[in-house]
Amino acid sequence: SNSVPSGKTVTIEFWYHMYGSNMGTLRCYGHQSSTYKATILNVSGQQQASQGAAWLKASGTYSSTSTTTNYVSFYATTGPGFRSDICVDSVQMKYS
């Protein structure tokens, strides 16, 4: 979480890898206090062609409407089998 002044643009960035034939869904949201602000990512199914394929970068922004704490949340849902690895790395939240 990060306290952000009102009137600033919040940016959330991260890298993700989703490889496997039984892949589920990865979702990322930005929140200000308890209020939903933005969907940063919502993808389903295999996103890479192999385990060694390059990671993908996701990013998104929203406007801060009050000086309060901001949050990022991730929801990963596996698919119907064991071939559904989802990884997230290098999460950054910043404002300008």
Side-chain angles (χ1 to χ4, degrees), residues 19-39:
Y19 171 66
S21 58
N22 302 124
M23 188 54 59
T25 300
L26 175 62
R27 294 176 288 159
C28 175
Y29 302 108
H31 308 271
Q32 187 171 46
S33 189
S34 61
T35 304
Y36 162 83
K37 296 298 284 185
T39 298

Side-chain angles (χ1 to χ4, degrees), residues 12-65:
I12 298 170
E13 298 176 340
F14 62 94
W15 293 86
Y16 65 98
H17 200 283
M18 297 171 68
Y19 171 66
S21 58
N22 302 124
M23 188 54 59
T25 300
L26 175 62
R27 294 176 288 159
C28 175
Y29 302 108
H31 308 271
Q32 187 171 46
S33 189
S34 61
T35 304
Y36 162 83
K37 296 298 284 185
T39 298
I40 307 303
L41 181 74
N42 186 354
V43 294
S44 295
Q46 181 171 287
Q47 301 297 305
Q48 278 85 353
S50 70
Q51 182 178 4
W55 289 54
L56 300 172
K57 185 176 185 179
S59 66
T61 62
Y62 62 88
S63 296
S64 175
T65 54

